[in-house]
Amino acid sequence: MSGNVIERARRRGSARPELGVVQGCEGVDRPPGSFSLLPILLRSTHMSGLGHRNHRELLVSDLDGTLLRPDATLSAFTVSVINEYIASGGLFTYATARSYTSAARVTAPLRLRLPVMTYGGVVVVDPLTGQARQAQFLPAALVEAVFRLTDCSRRVQPIVYVIREGRDRACWLADRITPGVANFLRARPGDPRLLPLSNRNDIGAASVFYVSLIGDRQPLRELFEQLSDTAGGCHFVLAEDIYSPGQWWLEVTSGTKATAVAALTAEVAAERVTCFGDQLNDLPMFAVADAALAVANAAPEVRAAATQVIGANTDDGVARWIAETLTTAAPLKSGSRPAVR
């Protein structure tokens, strides 16, 4: 995705976390714990044209601004290449700031087998069942501080995410709907995650894995300053949504994509990890990857941290790299498209 980006990295365990400020960040609808992923059995089958150098190479792609086109869709080319890679026994999944509900909708054409990483890596989901396998929960003291600081605010109210009966739920106080919460709800009619609350005691602060606050930039930044003393080890990102200019999000988690990528790497016994990304929330998983590939439209800091810069998301950069690098056939010429099956 495009946009000017300024972010200072979080220092885990520090008494005062640093704020990541992201302009032009991906649209998100969008803490410590261990990951327990069920074994995944993969069969290696013949693939016409596409082969790969190592069946134990794990490919992990960001979605918005990376695998998805600017209109938040997958091209027929991308769908074909990735599905053939998976069908051949290749290991492919995604790590996104989106919820699974949102991510599953935009990735529906992909025949995914491996667990997918959602909410910035803090919730890992089985794509075959849609069930959450594990979440990293926020410290209860931080969640209580969010409730306390926003209790009487007319400008900012939190949307808190919990796990209920094996799936994620987005909760808010039904009698305190701010413009930001109203915009969130208006964009998600019929979303099965939505769970209005009559009282915050309806959920336990210890069951919250993600907090989103939506509003104007200045009150959100002030809220971060107030929360920082109780947020040791947590991760904050203040972002303007590229799909809704002028709307800012303050997002709070206790983990990053790197935690989930490292756990999945061990679970599937991958011998090599290649990650694709475009924004600063992709930098943690770049740090645990053998190869870190930034799309050409990535933020400058992401391109600088990458081991290679590939084509932009407008040119199917991720799929083209897979087709041209992990192939036994001749490289694809510009404009060529394998058949969609």
Side-chain angles (χ1 to χ4, degrees):
M1 77 196 59
S2 61
N4 296 319
V5 182
I6 305 172
E7 180 170 352
R8 297 191 299 274
R10 170 180 61 102
R11 294 189 180 94
R12 177 165 290 280
S14 63
R16 184 178 176 82
E18 297 188 19
L19 175 64
V21 180
V22 184
Q23 289 181 299
C25 188
E26 63 199 71
V28 288
D29 49 4
R30 1 201 217 219
S34 62
F35 287 81
S36 177
L37 306 180
L38 299 178
I40 303 296
L41 300 178
L42 297 176
R43 292 184 302 168
S44 176
T45 59
H46 177 71
M47 176 169 23
S48 176
L50 280 175
H52 44 83
R53 60 194 179 201
N54 182 359
H55 275 288
R56 308 317 302 170
E57 178 167 6
L58 174 63
L59 306 184
V60 182
S61 180
D62 173 53
L63 292 182
D64 293 273
T66 303
L67 194 66
L68 300 178
R69 295 180 293 188
D71 64 355
T73 64
L74 294 169
S75 72
F77 175 70
T78 291
V79 171
S80 179
V81 168
I82 291 176
N83 281 344
E84 290 201 39
Y85 182 76
I86 294 171
S88 78
L91 305 177
F92 179 90
T93 190
Y94 62 74
T96 181
R98 290 176 178 254
S99 69
Y100 177 70
T101 298
S102 174
R105 184 172 62 250
V106 296
T107 61
L110 300 181
R111 303 187 189 108
L112 298 166
R113 301 177 182 177
L114 293 181
V116 297
M117 294 157 267
T118 64
Y119 289 105
V122 300
V123 178
V124 175
V125 178
D126 182 344
L128 302 179
T129 66
Q131 295 291 301
R133 294 186 170 179
Q134 189 59 275
Q136 298 184 69
F137 294 96
L138 284 163
L142 174 60
V143 177
E144 294 287 0
V146 170
F147 289 161
R148 183 177 66 255
L149 292 170
T150 59
D151 191 50
C152 298
S153 175
R154 295 184 178 182
R155 296 190 296 174
V156 178
Q157 284 292 315
I159 300 169
V160 297
Y161 296 81
V162 300
I163 299 294
R164 286 277 183 92
E165 297 178 352
R167 68 149 304 134
D168 53 327
R169 303 300 297 267
C171 308
W172 72 99
L173 283 177
D175 63 348
R176 298 187 189 179
I177 297 181
T178 61
V181 174
N183 288 339
F184 176 89
L185 298 176
R186 192 178 304 116
R188 295 161 180 82
D191 190 326
R193 297 175 302 148
L194 301 181
L195 181 65
L197 304 175
S198 58
N199 189 298
R200 284 188 177 130
N201 292 330
D202 292 344
I203 59 170
S207 67
V208 176
F209 66 84
Y210 201 97
V211 173
S212 291
L213 301 113
I214 309 169
D216 295 331
R217 183 174 185 265
Q218 188 55 37
L220 292 178
R221 190 174 187 96
E222 291 172 359
L223 183 59
F224 161 74
E225 295 294 338
Q226 294 174 295
L227 289 170
S228 58
D229 290 336
T230 60
C234 292
H235 185 69
F236 289 73
V237 175
L238 180 60
E240 184 180 26
D241 190 338
I242 61 170
Y243 301 127
S244 301
Q247 180 170 275
W248 287 77
W249 298 62
L250 178 61
E251 300 167 307
V252 189
T253 68
S254 276
T256 67
K257 295 179 181 182
T259 311
V261 169
L264 182 59
T265 300
E267 188 70 25
V268 301
E271 297 172 0
R272 178 180 171 85
V273 179
T274 296
C275 292
F276 306 86
D278 75 309
Q279 274 295 345
L280 297 187
N281 65 351
D282 296 317
L283 289 178
M285 71 174 179
F286 272 23
V288 300
D290 296 290
L293 277 56
V295 286
N297 53 289
E301 295 89 341
V302 178
R303 295 198 304 271
T307 57
Q308 181 181 350
V309 176
I310 61 175
N313 69 327
T314 54
D315 193 37
D316 301 324
V318 173
R320 192 167 296 282
W321 182 88
I322 294 172
E324 295 180 350
T325 306
L326 308 182
T327 182
T328 57
L332 294 170
K333 293 183 171 61
S334 178
S336 64
R337 296 289 186 270
V340 179
R341 299 178 179 177

